[in-house]
Amino acid sequence: MDQLDRAIIEILQGDGRASHAKMARGLGVSEGTVRRRLTKLIDEHVIRVVAIAEPEQLGYHTSAFIGLQVDPARVETVATQLADLQETEHVAITTGSYDIFVWVNVA
């Protein structure tokens, strides 16, 4: 991955719907170059394109970041179960005072 790849990623982080043509103009390269680079970044799992909903628009008016201490033998299982909940935005297995952090959005 080089500076051009990083620049493409940065543009998409600011505007996930930026067109190939718009990115190409901004970066001073051809549209084909942007298209090929973006396809490669996606195919190699460097980035993924997803839609992120606004929780408030879905009726979730409260967000919480929760740290959990879990039996070490159950960390993976608990993290997977938490990730499957509709209200869960993000789950991270960590080291330190907490074993799992979970970000949830609730009504």
Side-chain angles (χ1 to χ4, degrees):
M1 185 164 54
D2 62 13
Q3 278 303 112
L4 181 56
D5 292 330
R6 291 180 193 281
I8 291 169
I9 292 168
E10 186 175 322
I11 290 169
L12 290 172
Q13 286 175 322
D15 177 6
R17 298 183 66 186
S19 69
H20 295 150
K22 180 180 177 182
M23 288 189 281
R25 281 191 303 275
L27 296 170
V29 298
S30 73
E31 189 174 341
T33 296
V34 170
R35 186 179 313 104
R36 281 189 301 280
R37 294 290 189 110
L38 184 54
T39 298
K40 183 177 177 186
L41 289 168
I42 292 168
D43 289 348
E44 292 180 355
H45 304 285
V46 174
I47 65 171
R48 59 189 160 120
V49 180
V50 297
I52 300 174
E54 290 293 338
E56 184 126 341
Q57 296 296 322
L58 298 176
Y60 300 114
H61 302 290
T62 304
S63 293
F65 193 63
I66 304 165
L68 301 170
Q69 294 177 330
V70 180
D71 178 335
R74 295 192 27 103
V75 170
E76 295 278 342
T77 302
V78 171
T80 300
Q81 290 172 339
L82 289 168
D84 288 340
L85 297 174
Q86 179 180 335
E87 297 83 3
T88 301
E89 182 80 25
H90 185 78
V91 175
I93 295 173
T94 65
T95 60
S97 297
Y98 297 100
D99 302 304
I100 300 172
F101 280 106
V102 59
W103 173 9
V104 297
N105 297 302
V106 294

